[in-house]
Amino acid sequence: MFNPLSAFDSAEAHSVAEAFELQQIARNFRKEVDHREAFAAYCQWYYQTAAENQKASASMQKEPDLFGWFWRRRH
């Protein structure tokens, strides 16, 4: 019976295993870089949205409170 692993000597098997290990390390590194870039983009979007919401809130606070005016009028 033919054993496919017996066709490789131990040095070749070691180099193949090393190549797979390096490929896995590179894949994990790329995944981590992508994750960090996505998180940085999310943080940038979040801070920009928060700043826009703060500006909108500040402008709304300067507007007259019409609802409060009608509410006080009922009592």
Side-chain angles (χ1 to χ4, degrees):
M1 180 146 182
F2 177 72
N3 185 355
L5 295 179
S6 67
F8 293 108
D9 63 354
S10 65
E12 287 180 14
H14 182 66
S15 66
V16 170
E18 212 172 82
F20 281 133
E21 185 178 352
L22 288 174
Q23 182 182 17
Q24 186 64 39
I25 290 170
R27 184 177 292 156
N28 289 343
F29 179 76
R30 172 51 46 199
K31 188 176 178 181
E32 178 70 23
V33 168
D34 290 343
H35 174 74
R36 288 181 186 216
E37 287 175 352
F39 183 71
Y42 169 77
C43 289
Q44 182 179 2
W45 168 84
Y46 184 87
Y47 292 130
Q48 181 181 358
T49 303
E52 291 171 2
N53 289 341
Q54 288 173 350
K55 288 179 187 177
S57 177
S59 69
M60 284 190 281
Q61 288 178 354
K62 294 178 185 176
E63 295 175 357
D65 185 16
L66 296 176
F67 183 73
W69 185 71
F70 287 117
W71 185 259
R72 279 186 236 123
R73 195 170 180 199
R74 286 176 135 179
H75 293 301

